[in-house]
Amino acid sequence: MSFAGRPEPSRYQVDSNRLTCLGLWGISIGRNKVGLIEACVGDLGRDLPSAERAHWLSFNEAPSGGLDEDRFRRDILGQWHDGPPNPLRSLATARQRFSTALARVVGQEIYRPWGAADKIAFDGLHMPTSSERQETDNQILTLAKGVIDYLDVKAIRNLPGADPKGTTINCIEAWVKKLDEDPVPLISPLRLLQGLRSTGVARARSKDWQATLVRAGLDTLQPDEQFVKVVGSSRESAEAPLSVTGPACPNRAGCVG
């Protein structure tokens, strides 16, 4: 079936193998290679409230794409199998480590506190269940908010080498350059995410949108595949400061404490 719950992140939480609703109920799920969500009939009868069943049935589709192999190995073959890492969970962890690394440098938090609605949306990020442009656009917009827009520019401007009137990304780039490090691994994914948002996701698309896709090698991919790539590059960007500051930032220019 196509997934029925993800448009409401304030109600539903989903990962690679389970869907829950406000702590009221939960059901084991899988996702196969073509993006269809699978659930066992017995689980639907046991774990899904009766009021939800007709809604779920309306999203039922004929089987295609085979079984979720990771779930088959765990649930049917009884094997110890973790499956591939969750890209969005890895991104959230990398974002926190990014925040900690830069806070060590400037002596204060570098992300502003979450707004309630934006926190719900960011926590509800998911891998698209279709190749429709609108779903991926919404995901990219939320991703850009969480990774870039919530950065506190006043804190970022305290980075050594930063322009006291500079933009967020430019200030981070100036700091990395001051450390004689290569800024590309950190800055390029941020500029890509910002570019996707500003040239098409948040406004009318122009020729700059296509140029952004081409430069990033995303122009030949479907929208859902583009999102997967953008999530991966954003995670890699968030991990880049760790190689600059080090685990404890010992004796490096630009560190505090």
Side-chain angles (χ1 to χ4, degrees), residues 140 144 147-148 166-174 177 183-199 208 212-213 215-216 218 230 233-234 237:
I140 288 176
V147 173
I148 298 175
T167 62
T168 300
I169 296 178
N170 285 345
C171 287
I172 297 174
E173 182 175 23
K177 287 180 177 179
V184 171
L186 171 56
I187 299 302
S188 290
L190 296 180
R191 293 203 187 281
L192 169 61
L193 183 56
Q194 185 182 61
L196 291 173
R197 187 261 311 279
S198 63
T199 62
D208 292 334
T212 299
L213 295 179
R215 285 196 301 271
L218 301 175
V230 171
S233 67
S234 298
S237 173

Side-chain angles (χ1 to χ4, degrees), residues 75-236:
D75 296 355
I76 305 302
L77 301 182
Q79 298 176 349
W80 294 102
H81 181 64
D82 293 333
N86 184 317
L88 288 164
R89 188 175 299 168
S90 299
L91 171 65
T93 300
R95 181 186 184 274
Q96 182 57 51
R97 296 174 69 189
F98 174 90
S99 176
T100 300
L102 267 68
R104 187 183 296 123
V105 177
V106 300
Q108 65 183 97
E109 293 295 325
I110 57 101
Y111 276 109
R112 296 180 289 110
W114 282 106
D118 288 336
K119 180 64 164 62
I120 289 172
F122 192 79
D123 288 345
L125 279 171
H126 60 271
M127 291 296 141
T129 57
S130 73
S131 294
E132 293 183 3
R133 181 81 261 169
Q134 182 178 1
E135 183 180 12
T136 295
D137 282 355
N138 291 337
Q139 295 291 93
I140 288 176
L141 190 59
T142 298
L143 183 64
K145 280 186 178 182
V147 173
I148 298 175
D149 293 353
Y150 267 89
L151 285 168
D152 186 341
V153 67
K154 293 182 179 179
I156 296 298
R157 286 170 178 166
N158 290 327
L159 288 168
D163 182 344
K165 296 183 179 180
T167 62
T168 300
I169 296 178
N170 285 345
C171 287
I172 297 174
E173 182 175 23
W175 165 62
V176 178
K177 287 180 177 179
K178 184 176 179 63
L179 295 174
D180 293 325
E181 299 280 354
D182 180 8
V184 171
L186 171 56
I187 299 302
S188 290
L190 296 180
R191 293 203 187 281
L192 169 61
L193 183 56
Q194 185 182 61
L196 291 173
R197 187 261 311 279
S198 63
T199 62
V201 172
R203 61 189 65 180
R205 283 178 172 80
S206 66
K207 61 182 180 181
D208 292 334
W209 163 259
Q210 186 63 26
T212 299
L213 295 179
V214 171
R215 285 196 301 271
L218 301 175
D219 55 307
T220 61
L221 302 179
Q222 293 296 315
D224 56 328
E225 297 171 327
Q226 292 170 359
F227 182 70
V228 171
K229 291 288 188 181
V230 171
V231 167
S233 67
S234 298
R235 176 188 57 77
E236 292 169 0

Side-chain angles (χ1 to χ4, degrees), residues 7-72:
E8 298 182 69
S10 62
R11 289 175 56 84
Y12 300 94
Q13 292 293 315
V14 63
D15 58 26
S16 60
N17 55 27
R18 191 160 184 82
L19 165 71
T20 59
C21 176
L22 298 176
L24 299 176
W25 56 265
I27 187 169
S28 295
I29 60 173
R31 182 174 186 234
N32 71 4
K33 292 180 179 180
V34 298
L36 292 180
I37 303 301
E38 61 182 46
C40 295
V41 174
D43 291 347
L44 290 170
R46 181 190 63 205
D47 300 330
L48 197 66
S50 57
E52 296 281 347
R53 293 171 191 160
H55 178 67
W56 275 60
L57 183 60
S58 69
F59 287 87
N60 194 38
E61 297 187 14
S64 65
L67 296 173
D68 177 341
E69 295 180 5
D70 297 323
R71 189 164 183 256
F72 179 77

